[in-house]
């Protein structure tokens, strides 16, 4: 049994989330503001929290910071898209992921599932020497396999090489030209679009929402990075 | 013609034409002057001939008298025989056979004869030798002891006299002069004009060469204009003047050395004119003078000195400057009192001391106050509005000024705060409205989705739920776009530009949209530059721009056509262009297309809200680029132009 805390001042949204996440495995705990949420996490055994950012009494960011003082459960923030500065702040104080309002039901359950998988199965730091791991992605060069939060993903050899290149250098921005030259091992003569298409496919396979990638990020006008 | 004149031969020809024209003009002018003097224009030919003839004959007679009476010589007059008679009718002397023929009845032929009468006075010394002989006018007799006597001369022109005798020649000369007396002006005019034209031509061609635009100043060009004139024209003029003085006593003959001397002077003047013409053409007449050069050096020196002094003064603190000035002036005053005070030195000294004690403290205090005010003003000017001037210890007007400054900074900071508050409120308003709109919208979307998922026997419910879902989704996008538009157009959007490669924008957009373009039946043709083309842009905002443009392409381009995405380098920057063929006829102008809520399809059947291009335009302009739409028939072209980021440019 997994306990999920859903915290939003809008009752209807809490209800909708409950319906989307209705699963035999999950048990929902409700809260209507940040303060309540922190108390619930403290008192009951909560495995994952979904917190709205804009709430009365205590907002989601503050609640995240408070929860992080005593717990390392996955926290997903709920936010309206235009408040991207809030997202950055939330991730910095300890949130693990975020969902933008209005949300897509499939996306919500996928994110919840992914966070729970990492929390229970991986618990971080199981990477061996042959495997590269960044966030929830693990890449085994020997077995030529890639898993996202423990779920295996099917990649073509080119996609695998691109992913490997970027995972070896996390944070480095690769221009399409550099990627082409590294992966195809030949000078890029106007073949940069091919790289962009491959990256797009790679994102579709690895990301829950390819338009808002969490792993393979697009630095538009410069390149790609993990 | 021009080609010839630009050669050395052409220039020489022009030079010679000028010289001869001027000389001939001078000669004819002198001739005309002489003719005026001789009465060519006032007397008839016969009158003139008579007059000149009479004058000549009288001159001959006078010569005969002078020589005979003065020196006892019988003067020979070519072509003439003569008789000299005394007062009493006695024949004193004669010359030639014919002179006596009248009396002797000789048959020697005589063309003409004239009798001329003279009043002659002789001045003799004690021993009777003649000192002077004067032929005089009977109305104005000279006073000599000897008194006056009447003499007469009879002149006979011999028939066999040579034709080139002056006496024979002058009527012909007069006749020739008469024929020429008007033509000479024509000649003067002609040569004057020729001279002027060739002079102008010479000035024009000087310094020019064939087939070359620039000027070729001669070796003289290096010499400063004033120095050149001083070294050549001045001595030449002085030389000429001394020449004139030398010959000034020689009467009519004076004209010959004057004219001959003028020729070299004129040649010099002409050569100098050529050099100066080149100077004027190269605009160096004034600059290429010694005076100009000297003045320039002087002015530069003075300016440097002034800059230095003002630099020192400006960089000395106000109080020090004041103190130093007081000390200097006081010392000067003291020096004057001690040296020139005389007997009153002690009185003056006590006055001086009294004045210093009275004046120095207030002056120093004023300087301190000024310094404080200056600092406050500087702080205010550099934007520090919190600092206040300490008004303690300030007096009179200084205190009032300090209070004014404080009040000013208070007013400004109030206004700045007001402005910041209103800016913040605007941003907050936009964010809050978007949040407040999105929260109910989230529920609408979620629950319409839930309705659609609910198993239901009634197919109408499913259909209605589907309509709800579709339209609430449309509403969501509209709200997002509206927030974006209001932020972008009110400048409430943060833009953090970074160096980006324009090539990458195109290839990434094409890559991201590869699938959707394929589904829309479009082929992307991406033409990038081989080298990176760096611009300053905010990647996130640029993605929004390209996202809007590319989704428009997918929505509105004619299936089966190609979409061209390319880069064009201009002088000032780079333009990224997306071109496609519209499916529907574009009967809207580019300006209308970028207006809010205007859509390419009038039927508004496709999904979209008409904000895409407006947002794209605002975002591009926020990043310092220009966004342009052009429509040519069915060809739709969007170009985004950015200034090129050069390797050395900082952000």
């Amino acid at each position: 049994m997994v306990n999920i805390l859903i915290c939003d001042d809008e009752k209807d949204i809490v209800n909708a989330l409950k319906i989307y996440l209705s699963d035999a495995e999950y048990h929902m705990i409700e809260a209507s503001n940040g303060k309540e949420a922190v108390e619930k996490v403290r008192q009951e055994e909560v495995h994952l929290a979904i917190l709205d950012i804009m709430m009365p009494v205590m907002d989601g960011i503050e609640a995240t910071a408070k929860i992080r003082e005593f717990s390392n459960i996955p926290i997903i923030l709920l936010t309206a898209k235009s408040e991207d500065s809030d997202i950055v702040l939330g991730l910095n104080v300890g949130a693990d992921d975020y969902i933008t309002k209005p949300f897509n039901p499939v996306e919500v359950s996928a994110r919840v599932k992914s966070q729970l998988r990492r929390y229970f199965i991986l618990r971080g730091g199981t990477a061996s020497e042959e495997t590269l791991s960044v966030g929830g992605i693990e890449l085994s060069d020997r077995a030529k396999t890639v898993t996202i939060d423990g779920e295996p993903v099917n990649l073509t050899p080119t996609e695998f090489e691109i992913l490997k290149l970027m995972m070896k250098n996390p944070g480095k921005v690769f221009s399409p030209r550099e990627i082409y030259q590294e992966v195809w091992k030949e000078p890029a003569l106007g073949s940069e679009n091919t790289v962009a298409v491959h990256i797009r496919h790679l994102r579709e396979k690895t990301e829950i929402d390819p338009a808002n990638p969490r792993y393979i990020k697009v630095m538009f006008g410069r390149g790609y990075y993990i | 013609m021009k080609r010839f004149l630009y050669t050395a031969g052409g220039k020489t020809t022009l030079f010679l034409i000028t010289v001869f024209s001027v000389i001939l003009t001078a000669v004819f002018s002198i001739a005309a002057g002489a003719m005026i003097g001789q009465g060519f224009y006032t007397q008839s030919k016969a009158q003139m001939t008579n007059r000149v003839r009479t004058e000549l004959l009288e001159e001959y007679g006078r010569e005969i008298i002078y020589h005979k009476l003065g020196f006892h010589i019988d003067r020979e007059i070519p072509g003439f025989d003569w008789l000299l008679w005394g007062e009493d009718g006695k024949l004193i002397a004669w010359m030639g056979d014919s002179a006596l023929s009248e009396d002797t009845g000789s048959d020697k032929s005589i063309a003409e004869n004239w009798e001329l009468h003279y009043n002659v006075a002789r001045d003799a010394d004690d021993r009777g030798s003649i000192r002077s002989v004067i032929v005089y006018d009977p109305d104005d007799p000279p006073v000599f002891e000897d008194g006056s006597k009447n003499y007469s001369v009879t002149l006979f022109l011999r028939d066999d006299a040579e034709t080139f005798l002056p006496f024979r020649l002058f009527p012909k000369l007069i006749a020739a002069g008469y024929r020429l007396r008007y033509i000479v002006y024509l000649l003067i005019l002609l040569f004057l004009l020729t001279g002027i034209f060739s002079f102008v031509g010479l000035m024009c061609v000087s310094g020019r060469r064939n087939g070359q635009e620039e000027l070729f100043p001669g070796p003289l060009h290096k010499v400063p204009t004033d120095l050149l004139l001083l070294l050549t024209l001045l001595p030449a003029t002085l030389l000429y003047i001394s020449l004139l003085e030398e010959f000034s006593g020689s009467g009519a003959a004076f004209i010959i050395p004057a004219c001959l001397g003028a020729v070299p002077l004129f040649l010099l003047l002409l050569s100098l004119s050529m050099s100066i013409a080149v100077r004027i053409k190269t605009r160096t007449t004034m600059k290429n003078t010694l005076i100009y050069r000297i003045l320039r050096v002087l002015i530069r020196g003075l300016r440097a000195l002034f800059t230095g002094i003002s630099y020192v003064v400006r960089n000395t603190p106000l109080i020090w400057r004041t103190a130093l000035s007081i000390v200097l002036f006081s010392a000067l005053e003291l020096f004057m009192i001690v040296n020139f005070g005389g007997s009153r030195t002690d009185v003056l000294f006590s006055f001086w001391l009294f004045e210093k004690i009275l004046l120095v403290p207030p002056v120093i205090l004023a300087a301190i106050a000024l310094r404080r005010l200056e600092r406050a003003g500087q702080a205010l000017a550099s934007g520090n509005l919190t600092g206040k001037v300490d008004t303690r210890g300030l007096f009179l007007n200084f205190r009032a000024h300090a209070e004014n400054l404080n009040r000013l900074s208070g007013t400004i900071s109030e206004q700045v705060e007001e402005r910041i508050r209103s800016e913040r409120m605007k941003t907050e308003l936009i964010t809050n409205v978007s949040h407040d709109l999105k929260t109910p919208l989230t529920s609408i979307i979620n629950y319409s989705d839930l309705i659609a998922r609910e198993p239901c026997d009634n197919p109408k419910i499913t259909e209605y739920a589907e309509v709800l879902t579709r339209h609430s989704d449309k509403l969501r996008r509209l709200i997002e776009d509206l927030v974006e538009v209001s932020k972008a157009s009110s400048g409430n959007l943060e833009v953090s530009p970074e160096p980006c490669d324009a090539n990458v924008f195109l290839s990434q957009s094409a890559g991201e949209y590869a699938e959707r373009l394929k589904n829309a039946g479009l082929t992307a043709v991406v033409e990038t530059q081989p080298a990176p083309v760096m611009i300053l842009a905010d990647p996130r905002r640029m993605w929004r721009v390209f996202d809007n443009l590319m989704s428009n392409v997918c929505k509105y381009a004619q299936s089966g056509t190609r979409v061209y995405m390319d880069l064009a380098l201009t002088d000032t920057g780079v333009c990224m262009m997306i071109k496609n063929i519209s499916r529907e006829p574009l009967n809207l102008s580019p300006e209308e297309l970028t207006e809010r809520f205007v859509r390419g399809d009038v039927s508004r059947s496709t999904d979209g809200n008409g904000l895409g291009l407006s947002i794209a335009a605002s975002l591009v302009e926020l990043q310092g680029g220009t966004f342009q739409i052009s429509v040519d028939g069915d060809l739709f072209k969007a170009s985004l132009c950015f200034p090129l980021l050069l390797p050395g440019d900082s952000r």
Side-chain angles (χ1 to χ4, degrees):
Chain A
M1 196 58 149
V2 177
N3 294 329
I4 296 174
L5 176 82
I6 301 173
C7 180
D8 197 318
D9 54 330
E10 196 75 20
K11 187 78 180 127
D12 294 329
I13 290 179
V14 176
N15 281 339
L17 279 170
K18 275 170 80 177
I19 296 165
Y20 288 147
L21 295 172
S22 58
D23 190 297
E25 289 263 304
Y26 301 154
H27 172 248
M28 311 295 171
I29 300 165
E30 290 175 35
S32 61
N33 63 52
K35 206 168 172 204
E36 213 177 301
V38 178
E39 273 159 28
K40 288 267 165 71
V41 174
R42 205 189 293 272
Q43 288 157 12
E44 299 176 33
E45 195 195 5
V46 175
H47 299 107
L48 183 142
I50 300 174
L51 305 176
D52 185 27
I53 287 184
M54 266 210 183
M55 283 187 298
V57 188
M58 184 191 281
D59 68 18
I61 307 267
E62 206 182 332
T64 306
K66 281 261 171 9
I67 291 169
R68 276 288 169 262
E69 286 171 10
F70 58 90
S71 170
N72 68 342
I73 55 161
I75 298 174
I76 299 176
L77 292 176
L78 268 183
T79 166
K81 201 191 173 190
S82 51
E83 301 154 77
D84 29 13
S85 56
D86 291 344
I87 297 171
V88 176
L89 195 59
L91 292 175
N92 280 342
V93 298
D96 297 272
D97 206 349
Y98 61 89
I99 300 170
T100 53
K101 280 196 225 175
F103 40 77
N104 176 348
V106 186
E107 190 189 334
V108 176
S109 58
R111 292 210 185 281
V112 168
K113 223 192 256 171
S114 134
Q115 288 300 330
L116 285 174
R117 234 186 351 253
R118 283 181 66 194
Y119 184 58
F120 287 122
I121 307 167
L122 305 169
R123 295 258 165 159
T126 55
S128 62
E129 278 175 34
E130 295 88 18
T131 60
L132 294 165
S133 110
V134 175
I137 315 179
E138 278 192 13
L139 180 142
S140 163
D141 199 11
R142 185 182 289 170
K144 302 283 177 207
T145 55
V146 173
T147 58
I148 308 283
D149 299 332
E151 292 267 291
V153 184
N154 259 330
L155 296 184
T156 66
T158 312
E159 286 161 1
F160 182 85
E161 287 300 320
I162 294 173
L163 185 64
K164 192 174 88 185
L165 173 71
M166 298 212 290
M167 282 181 76
K168 272 185 185 167
N169 304 283
K172 181 181 187 312
V173 179
F174 286 93
S175 74
R177 185 179 305 229
E178 283 172 321
I179 293 176
Y180 192 89
Q181 282 163 356
E182 288 288 330
V183 174
W184 274 260
K185 308 281 185 207
E186 54 184 81
L189 299 166
S191 319
E192 290 91 339
N193 320 354
T194 323
V195 175
V197 175
H198 278 283
I199 300 264
R200 173 82 196 176
H201 289 158
L202 191 53
R203 290 212 319 272
E204 271 156 15
K205 286 177 181 174
T206 56
E207 301 285 347
I208 292 165
D209 179 6
N212 291 302
R214 308 295 154 108
Y215 302 124
I216 302 168
K217 300 182 194 89
V218 183
M219 177 82 84
F220 197 54
R222 294 180 63 189
Y224 307 94
Y225 67 104
I226 281 186
Chain B
M1 182 68 178
K2 197 172 160 188
R3 282 189 64 83
F4 168 69
L5 288 179
Y6 276 5
T7 60
K11 285 176 199 171
T12 315
T13 313
L14 267 181
F15 189 87
L16 290 179
I17 291 174
T18 314
V19 170
F20 283 117
S21 303
V22 170
I23 289 173
L24 284 173
T25 309
V27 166
F28 283 119
S29 301
I30 290 167
M35 275 156 80
I36 291 170
Q38 291 299 319
F40 270 83
Y41 305 98
T42 49
Q43 296 166 352
S44 74
K45 197 153 77 176
Q47 274 177 326
M48 269 202 70
T49 315
N50 263 333
R51 181 174 61 75
V52 176
R53 177 192 295 225
T54 314
E55 274 170 19
L56 260 178
L57 291 170
E58 278 177 354
E59 182 63 31
Y60 290 154
R62 218 173 280 133
E63 290 261 305
I64 291 161
I65 293 168
Y66 281 148
H67 280 86
K68 187 67 204 170
L69 299 185
F71 310 105
H72 304 289
I73 297 167
D74 291 336
R75 174 78 159 123
E76 195 178 332
I77 306 289
F80 282 93
D81 290 342
W82 52 264
L83 303 171
L84 177 62
W85 313 85
E87 194 178 19
D88 45 3
K90 201 177 84 190
L91 186 65
I92 296 169
W94 71 91
M95 170 75 68
D97 304 332
S98 57
L100 293 171
S101 63
E102 218 174 26
D103 298 342
T104 55
S106 157
D107 59 340
K108 198 130 200 185
S109 58
I110 286 161
E112 276 177 279
N113 67 331
W114 300 271
E115 196 167 319
L116 303 155
H117 300 278
Y118 297 90
N119 295 309
V120 179
R122 286 193 300 180
D123 183 19
D125 60 11
D126 302 340
R127 285 176 297 168
S129 42
I130 306 296
R131 271 211 294 264
S132 59
V133 175
I134 292 170
V135 174
Y136 67 90
D137 187 355
D139 298 335
D140 181 23
V143 187
F144 284 137
E145 278 174 39
D146 192 39
S148 60
K149 281 173 185 152
N150 287 325
Y151 286 81
S152 45
V153 176
T154 312
L155 282 166
F156 303 90
L157 180 62
R158 285 203 307 269
D159 211 22
D160 61 347
E162 288 97 357
T163 46
F164 53 81
L165 280 179
F167 192 78
R168 281 274 167 95
L169 225 47
F170 82 85
K172 288 175 193 157
L173 271 171
I174 287 171
Y178 246 81
R179 271 201 300 281
L180 282 175
R181 61 179 178 162
Y182 294 118
I183 294 170
V184 81
Y185 290 104
L186 215 64
L187 287 173
I188 290 172
L189 195 69
L190 178 73
F191 284 111
L192 192 67
L193 285 179
T194 316
I196 288 170
F197 274 120
S198 54
F199 178 76
V200 170
L202 192 63
M203 293 303 107
C204 289
V205 299
S206 60
R208 297 270 181 210
R209 275 185 205 175
N210 256 332
Q212 272 148 320
E213 270 304 301
E214 71 261 47
L215 288 155
F216 291 88
L220 268 182
H221 192 69
K222 293 214 168 60
V223 186
T225 314
D226 46 359
L227 197 68
L228 180 72
L229 294 181
L230 198 74
L231 287 184
T232 54
L233 208 54
L234 190 72
T237 315
L238 289 177
L239 208 68
Y240 184 61
I241 289 171
S242 67
L243 177 88
L244 293 188
E245 276 170 0
E246 186 84 11
F247 289 92
S248 60
S250 50
F254 166 73
I255 201 148
I256 294 164
C259 288
L260 287 180
V263 170
L265 192 68
F266 172 69
L267 290 179
L268 177 70
L269 268 175
L270 200 58
S271 313
L272 286 178
S273 303
M274 284 176 78
S275 177
I276 286 168
V278 176
R279 282 160 210 258
I280 290 169
K281 277 188 240 172
T282 54
R283 297 174 200 292
T284 51
T285 330
M286 293 319 288
K287 278 185 188 166
N288 191 10
T289 59
L290 204 60
I291 293 169
Y292 179 84
R293 286 179 198 184
I294 291 168
L295 276 180
R296 201 172 50 178
V297 168
L298 275 179
I299 287 169
R300 272 189 195 165
L302 279 176
R303 197 178 290 160
L305 191 70
F306 184 74
T307 316
I309 290 172
S310 74
Y311 179 79
V312 169
V313 170
R314 259 188 287 117
N315 283 287
T316 317
L318 182 68
I319 297 165
W320 278 108
R321 234 184 294 161
T322 316
L324 214 67
S325 322
I326 291 175
V327 169
L328 269 175
F329 277 107
S330 306
L332 195 69
E333 277 170 21
L334 198 62
F335 177 78
M336 301 289 248
I337 289 166
V338 171
N339 278 285
F340 308 107
S343 57
R344 293 171 181 242
T345 302
D346 44 353
V347 184
L348 283 172
F349 180 75
S350 40
F351 268 125
W352 177 83
L353 205 64
F354 182 67
E355 184 217 298
K356 293 301 150 210
I357 289 166
L358 206 69
L359 270 183
V360 169
V363 168
I364 292 289
L365 276 179
I368 291 169
L370 259 180
R371 177 77 191 127
R372 209 187 281 173
L373 288 176
E374 191 185 45
R375 281 218 180 117
Q378 271 169 357
L380 210 59
S382 59
N384 176 15
L385 298 174
T386 49
K388 297 267 176 194
V389 191
D390 188 2
T391 52
R392 281 173 303 165
L394 295 183
F395 51 92
L396 299 173
N397 296 27
F398 293 111
R399 190 185 198 99
H401 189 59
E403 278 161 3
N404 281 342
L405 275 182
N406 284 345
R407 225 169 291 141
L408 179 68
S409 75
T411 319
I412 293 174
S413 50
E414 260 170 43
Q415 278 176 355
V416 169
E417 268 166 35
E418 183 76 21
R419 178 107 173 265
I420 291 170
R421 208 178 304 131
S422 91
E423 280 299 308
R424 203 188 299 135
M425 269 179 67
K426 217 190 281 173
T427 321
E428 268 173 18
L429 186 74
I430 293 168
T431 318
N432 286 343
V433 166
S434 104
H435 181 264
D436 289 352
L437 285 172
K438 274 181 190 171
T439 308
L441 189 64
T442 309
S443 290
I444 294 172
I445 290 172
N446 289 339
Y447 284 91
S448 57
D449 178 59
L450 286 172
I451 292 169
R453 288 169 169 220
E454 213 53 40
C456 183
D457 297 337
N458 192 342
K460 280 193 173 171
I461 300 284
T462 328
E463 191 196 324
Y464 297 163
E466 194 266 325
V467 172
L468 262 181
T469 312
R470 203 174 63 233
H471 283 273
S472 51
D473 199 46
K474 209 164 168 180
L475 190 60
R476 171 183 65 84
R477 266 201 305 260
L478 177 61
I479 289 170
E480 275 171 10
D481 284 353
L482 265 179
V483 170
E484 192 95 8
V485 157
S486 59
K487 275 185 166 182
S489 55
S490 68
N492 268 310
L493 207 62
E494 259 179 60
V495 178
S496 40
E498 301 174 17
C500 297
D501 186 353
N503 290 314
V504 178
F505 282 127
L506 295 183
S507 49
Q508 279 182 324
S509 309
E512 293 293 315
Y513 267 86
E515 211 92 316
R516 277 204 264 170
L517 287 169
K518 205 171 143 196
N519 292 343
L522 298 164
T523 320
V525 179
V526 185
E527 294 275 345
T528 50
Q529 297 284 334
V533 180
M534 300 310 284
I535 58 170
L536 267 186
D538 182 336
R540 249 169 12 130
R541 310 295 175 208
M542 282 302 270
W543 168 242
R544 189 64 209 265
V545 172
F546 274 91
D547 198 16
N548 287 356
L549 289 175
M550 293 303 285
S551 75
N552 272 1
V553 168
C554 294
K555 269 184 261 173
Y556 300 120
Q558 172 67 45
S559 166
T561 59
R562 276 176 286 271
V563 179
Y564 288 88
M565 304 169 72
D566 44 32
L567 276 182
L569 289 167
T570 60
D571 295 343
T572 49
V574 60
C575 287
M576 291 170 269
M577 285 180 289
I578 299 180
K579 288 173 265 190
N580 66 275
I581 300 293
S582 174
R583 188 170 50 234
E584 304 285 330
L586 285 164
N587 40 17
L588 289 166
S589 70
E591 292 76 34
E592 285 173 312
L593 279 171
T594 43
E595 261 170 41
R596 286 169 204 172
F597 302 111
V598 170
R599 296 163 56 179
D601 53 336
V602 185
S603 60
R604 292 179 169 251
S605 55
T606 47
D607 130 76
N609 50 42
L611 287 172
L613 287 179
S614 169
I615 292 176
S618 305
L619 287 177
V620 169
E621 272 147 32
L622 265 179
Q623 296 173 68
T626 51
F627 183 82
Q628 235 178 0
I629 296 286
S630 72
V631 172
D632 184 2
D634 283 344
L635 177 72
F636 174 88
K637 185 170 113 182
S639 36
L640 293 77
C641 298
F642 281 84
L644 214 56
L645 183 69
L646 300 169
D649 278 0
S650 66
R651 288 189 174 189

